[in-house]
């Protein structure tokens, strides 16, 4: 029988420091809500740019940190379960409560494999199973930490992620060719 683990044993699951609408400025460090993360997850450009000041971001960065390459953000209110992996070293910050932050992956969990797991039917069913609320569904950090999770060995995770990544690349090339035609 396979050992039983919880998702919270493999990755830090958290959110951000609260940013108020009054904190938005016209230029500075990009600030993402669910809308922007959904656009990024779909490979689109951000349609509505929001910013917080560089001074405020610097304070947050020192005290709490900020997402970095490899971390994953997950929509947690309304449109549930859309995941995006940070793919560069640009600074940004994000809206608390609406987005969940996966960071500090254990050495036994490949972040790319985990991203594909979140997007899979199995992962989406797990997210649906722990969502709360009836009018507006939501995911909680505590609920996410308690998801039963027993990933395969790391070498298998990496192989799965590599195969799925190659398929995604091929799909993207085909879509671009179709648009060109």
């Amino acid at each position: 029988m396979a050992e039983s683990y919880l998702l919270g044993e493999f990755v830090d699951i958290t959110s951000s420091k609260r940013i108020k609408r009054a904190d938005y400025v016209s230029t500075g460090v990009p600030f993402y809500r669910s809308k922007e993360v959904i656009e990024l997850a779909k490979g689109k450009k951000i349609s509505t740019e929001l910013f917080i000041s560089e001074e405020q971001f610097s304070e947050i960065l020192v005290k709490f940190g900020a997402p970095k390459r490899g971390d994953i953000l997950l929509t947690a209110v309304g449109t549930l379960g859309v995941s995006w992996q940070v793919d560069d070293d640009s600074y940004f910050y994000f809206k608390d409560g609406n987005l969940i932050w996966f960071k500090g992956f254990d050495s036994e969990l490949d972040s790319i494999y985990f991203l594909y797991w979140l997007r899979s039917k199995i992962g989406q069913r797990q997210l649906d199973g722990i969502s709360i609320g009836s009018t507006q569904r939501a995911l909680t950090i505590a609920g996410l930490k308690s998801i039963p999770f027993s990933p395969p060995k790391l070498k298998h995770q990496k192989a799965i992620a590599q195969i799925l990544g190659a398929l995604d690349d091929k799909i993207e090339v085909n879509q671009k060719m179709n648009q060109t035609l």
Side-chain angles (χ1 to χ4, degrees):
M1 184 173 188
E3 288 191 57
S4 179
Y5 299 100
L6 300 177
L7 182 57
E9 296 177 60
F10 291 93
V11 62
D12 296 330
I13 306 170
T14 188
S15 192
S16 67
K17 182 186 179 323
R18 183 167 296 259
I19 302 292
K20 299 179 179 94
R21 185 178 298 232
D23 293 329
Y24 297 166
V25 294
S26 57
T27 62
V29 175
F31 183 74
Y32 299 161
R33 303 164 297 176
S34 292
K35 176 181 185 271
E36 289 78 24
V37 167
I38 291 168
E39 289 172 340
L40 290 166
K42 291 180 178 181
K44 297 181 178 179
K45 289 188 175 193
I46 293 174
S47 60
T48 307
E49 290 188 328
L50 297 174
F51 302 94
I52 60 173
S53 73
E54 291 189 25
E55 295 77 24
Q56 184 177 24
F57 176 77
S58 293
E59 289 175 21
I60 291 167
L61 184 60
V62 169
K63 289 182 185 175
F64 307 103
K68 63 183 190 324
R69 183 188 300 263
D71 291 353
I72 295 173
L73 294 180
L74 180 76
T75 59
V77 175
T79 303
L80 294 186
V82 177
S83 54
W84 171 68
Q85 188 167 40
V86 180
D87 55 3
D88 66 21
D89 296 317
S90 302
Y91 283 131
F92 71 91
Y93 208 58
F94 64 99
K95 186 164 180 60
D96 66 303
N98 290 7
L99 295 165
I100 303 290
W101 179 13
F102 295 91
K103 65 178 186 168
F105 287 85
D106 183 272
S107 63
E108 295 301 312
L109 180 60
D110 180 74
S111 66
I112 299 170
Y113 168 84
F114 180 63
L115 178 70
Y116 282 114
W117 182 87
L118 283 170
R119 293 176 176 175
S120 73
K121 286 183 181 182
I122 292 170
Q124 289 294 303
R125 273 196 304 268
Q126 289 281 3
L127 297 178
D128 284 341
I130 63 155
S131 67
I132 60 171
S134 56
T135 307
Q136 182 158 340
R137 296 178 344 148
L139 296 170
T140 65
I141 292 170
L144 287 162
K145 287 181 178 181
S146 69
I147 289 176
F149 188 74
S150 296
K153 297 213 176 288
L154 188 61
K155 69 179 185 177
H156 297 295
Q157 292 176 45
K158 289 185 179 289
I160 291 166
Q162 184 177 11
I163 290 166
L164 293 174
L167 288 171
D168 276 351
D169 292 345
K170 187 166 183 70
I171 289 168
E172 186 178 334
V173 167
N174 287 340
Q175 287 174 338
K176 286 179 181 176
M177 284 175 51
N178 287 340
Q179 287 174 354
T180 303
L181 293 174

